[in-house]
Amino acid sequence: MKIFCIGKNYAAHAKEMNSEVPSKPMVFMKPSTALLNNNKPFYYPEFTTNIHYEVEVVLKISKNGKHIKSKFASDYFEEIGLGIDFTARDVQSECKKKGHPWEIAKAFDHSAVIGSKFIPVEGLDLNNLEFSLTRNGQVVQKGNTKDLIYNFETIISYISTIFTLKITDLIMTGTPEGVGPVEIGDELVGYLGDVKMFECRVK
Ligand code: MG
């Protein structure tokens, strides 16, 4: 199982990171050891002092494929979920400054919170899905897939020109604006519309 992530896929988030909107989907990956599911707690790692939450809609790949055309991409996922792309922002800034790869900031153990709940896409308007994250009961991020720069079909098509997509692979599709730091003791809860998709306690 592979976890793909798309960076800077909402213009307002790219702006808050002082970044340009990328001219094609910006893809990076997390290994299977990054997965944190079943509402398990996240233990704040020692190598960073600035972990940020990034709530993201997650696609669960349901069919193997390579070189998938956009018009067929919707055949490759049947369910969507929600998760957090935990990011060691301090480490990421260092990596960016030096032009280094950023796995140590993005792909560390348990950096991919994935809610265990997945919702069938049938009947959903995938181009108008609201989602949000609360931190200790306060809404900190609110997004809508209508603001995606690269929609789900484009992402799947693009990734599949480079990597073979396999059943059970996950794609984290990018975070809206409002990212921020977590602290030990925080309770993070993700919602797709009004449906609670995951909770995560920071320990
Ligand atoms: Mg992200």
Side-chain angles (χ1 to χ4, degrees), residues 109-171:
D109 285 359
H110 301 160
S111 59
V113 175
I114 304 286
S116 297
K117 189 191 282 266
F118 276 80
I119 294 177
V121 296
E122 209 175 316
L124 294 180
D125 180 359
L126 295 178
N127 297 310
N128 188 16
L129 289 174
E130 279 188 1
F131 59 102
S132 60
L133 181 75
T134 64
R135 177 184 178 217
N136 305 323
Q138 304 285 337
V139 177
V140 286
Q141 284 191 277
K142 219 173 168 33
N144 189 307
T145 55
K146 71 175 159 51
D147 299 319
L148 280 166
I149 297 167
Y150 299 105
N151 67 16
F152 300 155
E153 287 80 6
T154 307
I155 292 169
I156 286 176
S157 176
Y158 177 74
I159 291 174
S160 78
T161 61
I162 300 162
F163 301 98
T164 300
L165 284 172
K166 299 197 88 170
I167 296 174
T168 73
D169 284 350
L170 299 170
I171 304 177

Side-chain angles (χ1 to χ4, degrees), residues 5-8 13 28 54-56 85 87 106 172 174-175:
C5 303
I6 308 298
K8 300 172 197 165
H13 170 62
F28 59 96
E54 296 188 357
V55 71
E56 314 202 358
D85 165 19
T87 303
K106 282 283 196 182
M172 307 189 80
T175 196

